[in-house]
Amino acid sequence: MASRKEGSGAAGSGFGAAKGKGKAATTGDSAVKQVQIDGLVVLKIIKHYQEEGQGNEVVQGVLLGLVVDDRLEITNCFPFPQHTEDDADFDEVQYQMEMMRSLRHVNIDHLHVGWYQSTYYGSFVTRALLDSQFSYQHAIEESVVLIYDPIKTAQGSLSLKAYRLTPKLMEVCKEKDFSPEALKKANIAYENMFEEVPIIIKNSYLINVMLWELEKKSGVADRHELLSLASSNHLGKSLQLLMDRVDEMSQDIVKYNTYLRNVSKQQQQKHQYQQRRQQENMQRQSRGEPPLPEEDINKLFKPPQPPPRMESLLIAGQINTYCQNIKEFNAQNLGKLFMAQALQDYNN
């Protein structure tokens, strides 16, 4: 099996191993409205990317925990190992089962509540992620996907977000009908495909005391690097990815316009055929001959297949994500500029 690249969606292949386990942890029927993550889980996700994520390499793993009322508590996680095509005998489902069985033996929360994935410049709105999260959410209703952005985190602020598929999108995915008519009937747009769930990171009191001590010992001079305005690489890469998605959207629009032209052309052909048929029957009637038998016009003119619209929605969602990232990055740099100017004025 190939190593996981962006959009591989390999995490979804193992959801069946934990089917029904999320239900065992449920104490109520209310939807998940909040995600509480132990600080150790966040550190494990970051460590996993630092050890195995190289460039645009995506790392993925399993989230473990339990559901309390409307709060999903993530208390542990473990990574998917990177493997290549030479590891054909590797069984991901068996691997997950063995890991959860081992955690249960040492009295650690082992209930499957979702999965996590790193992202490359925010490029996570893909069909693979949609299919994987649908598989998880269909089997484990409370499950979420955590998206970790190492690029933003390296700039000084932790970027970790939790997403779920909206009920509307879940219904569409169950029907597996992504035609324009089905999406229009369900009122699906890129804005209501994913819902973000608020995250709270919880640490023990001892960890909080340690962080407070470290905060006291760190001087202002050590934080000057956070005021760096070197943003050309990050901004340039984000703009390049944005332009690539816009090109893909343009190509998809061309395909859809071609489909509309074909439909319009076929409607004209149907209308011309019906007119000829009607004139011929009138001539036969004037000669005292019986009219021609009626034919199924849909069999004579098979309607063209509409292009799937789900990819367009995902591309639109990814474009929106890139625009938000660029907006946040520019706002962050503007804040750094003001802080740097204030420090310079203070030193003078």
Side-chain angles (χ1 to χ4, degrees):
M1 187 176 292
S3 61
R4 293 180 181 81
K5 300 290 184 183
E6 177 64 41
S8 63
S13 61
F15 76 94
K19 187 172 183 179
K21 294 205 179 274
K23 296 297 180 182
T26 306
T27 58
D29 296 331
S30 57
V32 173
K33 298 180 181 178
Q34 187 182 90
V35 175
Q36 178 179 297
I37 310 176
D38 282 7
L40 180 60
V41 176
V42 178
L43 293 178
K44 282 185 175 181
I45 295 175
I46 296 174
K47 182 173 181 288
H48 183 198
Y49 176 81
Q50 290 179 343
E51 290 180 348
E52 299 191 15
Q54 300 293 334
N56 60 348
E57 184 78 15
V58 169
V59 299
Q60 298 172 331
V62 175
L63 300 175
L64 306 174
L66 66 160
V67 180
V68 179
D69 297 331
D70 60 351
R71 184 177 70 253
L72 177 64
E73 297 185 1
I74 301 175
T75 58
N76 206 345
C77 69
F78 61 86
F80 283 117
Q82 297 284 358
H83 52 274
T84 62
E85 295 179 354
D86 298 332
D87 303 326
D89 298 333
F90 181 76
D91 189 342
E92 289 188 351
V93 176
Q94 183 65 26
Y95 166 76
Q96 292 185 52
M97 292 296 293
E98 290 178 357
M99 286 293 296
M100 289 187 287
R101 188 180 300 113
S102 299
L103 292 173
R104 183 175 67 248
H105 289 163
V106 293
N107 199 25
I108 295 177
D109 291 334
H110 62 280
L111 298 178
H112 206 158
V113 295
W115 60 296
Y116 69 84
Q117 174 181 300
S118 64
T119 183
Y120 179 65
Y121 285 95
S123 305
F124 65 90
V125 185
T126 62
R127 183 61 182 271
L129 182 134
L130 173 67
D131 293 340
S132 295
Q133 181 58 23
F134 170 73
S135 299
Y136 270 97
Q137 225 166 299
H138 182 66
I140 310 169
E141 184 179 355
E142 303 84 5
S143 63
V144 300
V145 54
L146 289 182
I147 301 297
Y148 168 64
D149 192 333
I151 306 296
K152 284 187 177 181
T153 302
Q155 296 172 358
S157 60
L158 175 64
S159 179
L160 190 67
K161 296 183 178 181
Y163 291 99
R164 287 169 49 84
L165 302 186
T166 59
K168 288 184 178 181
L169 187 58
M170 286 293 295
E171 292 298 326
V172 171
C173 292
K174 287 179 183 178
E175 298 295 332
K176 297 182 179 180
D177 184 5
F178 303 123
S179 63
E181 293 77 12
L183 295 178
K184 183 178 180 181
K185 181 179 179 181
N187 194 24
I188 294 293
Y190 71 88
E191 297 95 337
N192 55 10
M193 294 176 62
F194 296 91
E195 57 181 2
E196 184 177 352
V197 186
I199 289 179
I200 294 178
I201 298 179
K202 181 181 178 182
N203 293 317
S204 67
Y205 295 115
L206 292 176
I207 294 179
N208 288 331
V209 170
M210 184 190 70
L211 293 175
W212 183 74
E213 290 291 338
L214 293 176
E215 184 76 12
K216 281 176 48 178
K217 293 179 180 179
S218 61
V220 177
D222 298 331
R223 304 177 194 173
H224 283 177
E225 61 182 15
L226 299 179
L227 301 180
S228 173
L229 300 179
S231 60
S232 57
N233 292 336
H234 182 278
L235 187 59
K237 186 62 178 179
S238 297
L239 289 173
Q240 182 61 49
L241 292 171
L242 176 60
M243 289 188 292
D244 292 342
R245 289 295 180 270
V246 171
D247 290 340
E248 292 178 8
M249 177 63 75
S250 300
Q251 295 174 6
D252 201 74
I253 291 175
V254 170
K255 293 179 182 178
Y256 188 67
N257 288 336
T258 302
Y259 160 73
L260 292 179
R261 285 196 299 268
N262 292 336
V263 170
S264 177
K265 183 178 179 180
Q266 190 180 75
Q267 291 296 332
Q268 293 178 358
Q269 293 175 349
K270 285 183 180 180
H271 183 67
Q272 293 173 359
Y273 175 82
Q274 290 173 341
Q275 285 184 334
R276 290 196 304 267
R277 193 80 168 181
Q278 187 177 5
Q279 292 176 358
E280 189 173 354
N281 282 334
M282 291 176 62
Q283 293 175 0
R284 293 175 66 90
Q285 186 177 4
S286 64
R287 295 194 300 264
E289 298 177 357
L292 295 173
E294 295 184 359
E295 296 180 350
D296 189 355
I297 195 170
N298 290 326
K299 291 183 178 180
L300 295 176
F301 300 92
K302 293 183 179 180
Q305 290 294 327
R309 300 299 293 165
M310 181 56 69
E311 294 296 334
S312 299
L313 292 179
L314 292 171
I315 293 174
Q318 189 61 67
I319 290 175
N320 181 67
T321 301
Y322 286 142
C323 291
Q324 292 293 332
N325 288 346
I326 294 173
K327 180 180 178 182
E328 293 174 2
F329 189 77
N330 289 336
Q332 185 181 22
N333 275 351
L334 185 61
K336 289 180 179 180
L337 182 62
F338 286 141
M339 290 177 64
Q341 184 64 42
L343 275 177
Q344 183 178 1
D345 294 342
Y346 176 78
N347 292 332
N348 293 335

